[in-house]
Amino acid sequence: MFDYIFFDLDGTLTDPALGITNSFKHALESFGLEIPSYEKLCSFIGPPLVDTFRTQFGFSDEKASLGVLKYREYFAEKGLLENAVYPGIPNLLSDLKDAGKRLVVATSKPEEYSVKIIEHFGLAPYFENVCGSLMDESRSKKDQVIEYALERNQINDRGKVLMIGDRKHDILGAKKTGLKSCGILFGYGSLQELQTAGADYIAGNVTELKDICLQ
């Protein structure tokens, strides 16, 4: 059914919790703010950074932009590679590629960072390309990233594309751009979150995800 498989990065291909939570701690400490619990910090994995600073901490647009800069002070130096590929993902990507699927990363993380992560963990050979946001936080909404990925890969038939992700933003972005979506439960979103967002499929593990992609 699907010729193209779009993958979110954080919480889908890799577990970025250590790097992201440490980067948020660094940013919040620079503003003298109390550090939320680890569980709360993990809930920030997925949405665009600038939105998190606005909605979770009440930052103005200007202060949110500064928050992103402080976050990246740590992330660019250390947090980028405080990360780990989920078990089974390399084999999944290999099997999908062998089956003729064309794989693309579609993430709200800046493309510059995303390319480095994909290359560092040896995943680059599986993907046609890596599509992400810009460093100025533009093109950070998931539907914007998906539209960019569709254009970059010259895809006209949206019915042949499946978007995979662990948070509601992935599912809602897919719906907004006319794609089918699959929510995965080994990331940072809950079953309720993904169902409420309207995921077309739900995969509890990598084996189930492979079956959905190859149907």
Side-chain angles (χ1 to χ4, degrees), residues 149-166:
L150 291 168
E151 180 179 357
R152 185 171 171 185
N153 291 278
Q154 299 180 320
I155 300 171
N156 295 315
D157 187 353
R158 298 181 183 221
K160 294 294 186 180
V161 185
L162 177 67
M163 178 71 219
I164 297 169
D166 67 313

Side-chain angles (χ1 to χ4, degrees), residues 1-2 158-159 161-164 170-171 174-175 178-182 200-201:
M1 181 184 296
F2 301 110
R158 298 181 183 221
V161 185
L162 177 67
M163 178 71 219
I164 297 169
D170 303 302
I171 308 307
K175 293 179 88 64
L179 305 188
K180 293 290 187 180
S181 63
C182 178
D200 296 289
Y201 308 93

Side-chain angles (χ1 to χ4, degrees), residues 10 16-57 59 64 66-76 79 82 109 137 167:
D10 291 342
L18 182 60
I20 287 180
T21 56
N22 283 340
S23 299
F24 270 114
K25 288 177 183 177
H26 175 81
L28 296 174
E29 285 170 353
S30 73
F31 291 102
L33 296 177
E34 182 179 350
I35 305 301
S37 69
Y38 178 76
E39 289 73 21
K40 183 65 174 177
L41 289 172
C42 284
S43 74
F44 302 156
I45 297 173
L49 284 176
V50 70
D51 289 353
T52 298
F53 282 112
R54 288 189 192 118
T55 60
Q56 298 296 324
F57 302 102
F59 282 17
L66 181 57
V68 171
L69 291 176
K70 290 296 183 181
Y71 174 101
R72 289 180 178 163
E73 283 181 353
Y74 183 93
F75 190 82
E82 290 179 333
K109 184 182 289 298
E137 287 297 300
R167 299 299 307 273

